[in-house]
Amino acid sequence: MNQSPFRVAIILIVAIAGILFAAPNFLPKDVQDSLPGWLPKPGLVLGLDLQGGSHLLLGVDENSIVSQRLSDVRRDARNVLANQNGIGNIITTDDAKRAIYIELTDPAQKEQAMTALQGIQNTVNNSLFSTGVGVNELAFSDMPDGRIQIALTPEGVTQRMSSLVSQSVEVIRNRIDELGTTEPTIQRQGDTRVLVQVPGFGDSTRLKNIVSQTARLTFHMVYPGLTADQAEAQGLPAGTMILPSQDGTRELLYEDVALGGESLVDAQPSYDSQRGIPVVSFKFDTRGAITFGEITSANVGKRFAIVLDNTVITAPVIQQPITGGTGQISGNFTTASANDLAVLLRAGALPASLNVIEERTVDASLGADSIRAGVTAGVVASVLVVSFMIIAYGVWGVFANVSLILNVILIFGALSVLGSTLTLPGIAGIVLTIGMAVDANVLIYERMREEQRAGRTPLQAINAGFERAWGTIVDSHLTQLVAAVVLYFMGSGPVQGFAVTLGLGILTSLFTSYTVTSYQVNLWYKRVRPKTLKIQHFRFIPDGTTIPFMKISRYVIALSIIMSVVSIGAAYFKGFNLGIDFVGGTAIELQHTGGPADVGQVRTLLDGLELGEIQVQGFGTPEDVLVRVQAQQGGEGADQIAVQKVKDALASADYVERRTEAVSGTVSGELAWTGTLAVIIALGCILLYIWFRFEWQFALAAVTTTSHDIIMTIGLFSLTGLEFNLSSIAAVLTLVGLSLNETVVVSDRIRENLRKHRKMPLPELIDLSINQTIVRTSLTQFTVLLALVPLVLFGGEVLRSFTIAMTFGSLVGMYSSVIINGPILINFGLKQKTEEEEAAAKKEKATDGASV
């Protein structure tokens, strides 16, 4: 109870800093702009689900990279052999083996050919080695049939892909900057993927076109006197290729690039006044202008093709030399498409093709609805929790509420300092923190009441309450923190947002519930000097209960075994209503602008699209409908086409898109694996922590009861048909923390009583421990439910399965912690120790810790 000036200063500094960092986020934009320069600017960013926008996960197309590289190697090999050394050859390509094969017209020239071909070897730096050691990109082999094989090495392909991803990030950043959007997130993920998030940009189709189009511009001379069909019939002339044209025809072009798009310095949409059509005007740099002038001067009267991403945009006849270094591209452009092409050309070509493997788009109106739902749930939960604490604890509840309010302020302040993104699951994490933060104060208050009943003075009871509850508070919070950390590193997107807010809430709760509450109690005690402490005004369960939990444990365990078998059986035979996060496919949320949605009409409109299984169901309000389309054959491109077909089919019936989630089969498999791995890692970390803090029996019992809760919750998903998605994994991991919170409190009291009542039979001792903590358990559980139920009722349809699972899991967690944990401890061989045995065990543990 001694409050040093240093401790008071820390409380004041942290509280003021939290308010300063958090407050600007809740002020109008014009007020934010007028804030003094020394005040922190708002650093909290709203996620896509709260302000609308687009999320794209792009994957490098490895096959196209290999194909392009083989084409380059083939051209280089032909040039080295035929043009530079006069060695006749026939070259074939095998994409499956990632190699080209060279057959010489004169086998006697093989040694000379092998020597010449070494000149096209390319050494690339391998980023896996900090020494900068390079790896060869090509491998040369003398085949038994006399041919020469040039194959791409796996190391070379990997390194080239990694390098191309880095280049792609910069190109994408330039393109999005050209669009004038604010606060985009563009970052690489691993060696083959790029994550793009653009808040406030709701036109996902346009964004995909801007971001994923390669935009590789090249200029080729058209092969004269021969059409593409004629050349295909009689055999392609050496060094030529056939490419499709934008007008539906095909063109026979020289393979050699006469001029590349890398020489462009500017591209702008313009208008051809003579023909009355939109065009794109371009300008070359000095070197490009000279080359362009030389080409057009030497080929007057011949056709010159402008090729974009292997499609001929236009192939006009060169009427006269063009020496100014400028020109224009004409095609079937609209004003918008001409502008987008100009953006692409100015930003530069992507060095590799990128496929959209995950797409999440939220309309701004849905984001506004999500904010309202989240704020409503948060306000209702806060009012309920604050009111209950005052009803249950009176002035002590006021102390807890002040700490709780400061706790929420510190969460928002910390999120602002970190520049974190606040998502709808993040709001759920804050609301859940409101319920859990009360738990520490309840622990302290209940400990004070126990100490006072044991005959201590008010001051002694207050001191003992804070001191003896602190260890339990730390244990219960750290087990929840483990789940939050695993969620952050194993999850993605909104799940990470939930983990960040939950983790910050746990840390700030440790500060406010102990330090800030003790400061308030200290001020109150010095002023009031009470003779007795009247801490609690209301309780669900009276003090001094003697409920014989161990006597009914065999029946309860039998019931739990039956429910576990039913849950596992349902999961095995009935399965789950898996979300697209785990099975791939597309979910599109639509809203009918003309009144309630007609699910039957939507099904009829989509029946003829031939997209495989399509599920249509009501979603949220009567105007909303959810369409789920299975993953399409043909990869990511086919999924994108399916999405557009659904939108086009329903647009005529006044259905507008509000949210789209598209996940490829590749990503869904990865998410399923990482989700399962996250649960396993969380359980393993918690097992080690409790093993370190308690006996091994407590650790195994805690993991067993937690596994029981997970099985029950999984059974809930299977039996009720709630959608099981990525957020469900977050719910499972959070209930792991909640369940362990209850288990740790009971286990801590059992451990304490083992020291105090060494001769008491173990079943009676466990009964005593549960009865001593059940008042606190019931109160804490009720406050958590007060926070969770508003989320279920007002949090919105997107969070429905997530919040229902957490509510159910919290109830099951209390049940298992109170009734199941004790018998398991006995079955695992927990025994009471004499003072000598306990001293020896402590000495051995200290020795083991020192050796580690």
Side-chain angles (χ1 to χ4, degrees), residues 277-305:
I277 58 173
V279 296
V280 176
S281 300
F282 59 85
K283 181 179 180 181
F284 289 112
D285 58 19
T286 302
R287 181 179 177 183
I290 293 173
T291 304
F292 192 51
E294 292 173 348
I295 293 171
T296 54
S297 298
N299 294 282
V300 173
K302 298 179 181 179
R303 296 177 65 209
F304 191 45

Side-chain angles (χ1 to χ4, degrees), residues 16 38 84 172 224 297 364 581 680 747 808 821:
I16 293 171
W38 57 269
Q84 297 182 20
I172 292 172
S297 298
D581 292 329
I680 294 173
S747 298
F808 173 82
N821 185 55

Side-chain angles (χ1 to χ4, degrees), residues 366-382:
L366 181 59
D369 291 346
S370 297
I371 291 177
R372 283 193 295 271
V375 170
T376 300
V379 170
V380 173
S382 301

Side-chain angles (χ1 to χ4, degrees), residues 722-749:
L722 288 172
E723 182 177 308
F724 193 82
N725 50 33
L726 200 57
S727 295
S728 304
I729 296 293
V732 170
L733 281 176
T734 305
L735 73 89
V736 166
L738 286 171
S739 173
L740 282 165
N741 184 28
E742 305 288 348
T743 303
V744 165
V745 170
V746 177
S747 298
D748 188 68
R749 183 56 61 94

Side-chain angles (χ1 to χ4, degrees), residues 443-597:
L443 275 172
I444 294 169
Y445 295 164
E446 291 304 312
R447 193 72 201 210
M448 289 180 188
R449 294 178 64 246
E450 287 186 32
E451 297 297 332
Q452 183 171 250
R453 288 199 306 270
R456 296 183 183 273
T457 66
L459 184 58
Q460 290 173 332
I462 291 173
N463 279 322
F466 280 101
E467 290 175 4
R468 297 190 177 183
W470 178 242
T472 305
I473 292 171
V474 170
D475 287 334
S476 62
H477 278 61
L478 287 183
T479 50
Q480 295 173 40
L481 187 61
V482 168
V485 170
V486 173
L487 267 178
Y488 179 79
F489 286 104
M490 302 295 294
S492 61
V495 174
Q496 283 186 321
F498 173 78
V500 169
T501 54
L502 181 62
L504 288 175
I506 292 168
L507 295 175
T508 55
S509 175
L510 282 172
F511 173 77
T512 58
S513 61
Y514 187 85
T515 306
V516 177
T517 302
S518 67
Y519 177 67
Q520 296 177 81
V521 172
N522 176 65
L523 293 179
W524 171 82
Y525 182 82
K526 287 181 177 179
R527 185 175 61 85
V528 177
R529 296 286 180 177
K531 300 298 183 182
T532 59
L533 300 177
K534 189 177 180 181
I535 298 175
Q536 195 178 75
H537 299 267
F538 168 81
R539 65 181 67 87
F540 294 104
I541 299 173
D543 292 327
T545 56
T546 56
I547 303 172
F549 291 103
M550 291 303 99
K551 288 185 178 180
I552 64 172
S553 62
R554 65 180 65 183
Y555 307 107
V556 174
I557 290 178
L559 176 63
S560 290
I561 291 174
I562 293 172
M563 291 192 298
S564 298
V565 171
V566 170
S567 296
I568 294 172
Y572 182 79
F573 293 104
K574 185 176 183 291
F576 299 94
N577 176 22
L578 294 175
I580 61 168
D581 292 329
F582 295 145
V583 297
T586 303
I588 309 171
E589 183 182 341
L590 301 145
Q591 187 173 73
H592 191 237
T593 58

Side-chain angles (χ1 to χ4, degrees), residues 71 74 220-223 226-246 248-256 305 307 309-312:
S71 176
R74 176 175 175 167
H220 301 256
M221 295 303 302
V222 177
Y223 192 87
L226 202 61
T227 66
D229 292 338
Q230 292 171 339
E232 197 170 49
Q234 65 188 42
L236 293 181
T240 63
M241 62 181 178
I242 295 177
L243 292 181
S245 182
Q246 196 178 58
T249 61
R250 298 189 300 167
E251 297 284 357
L252 179 64
L253 310 178
Y254 285 102
E255 277 188 340
D256 291 338
V307 178
D309 292 340
N310 293 322
T311 298
V312 178

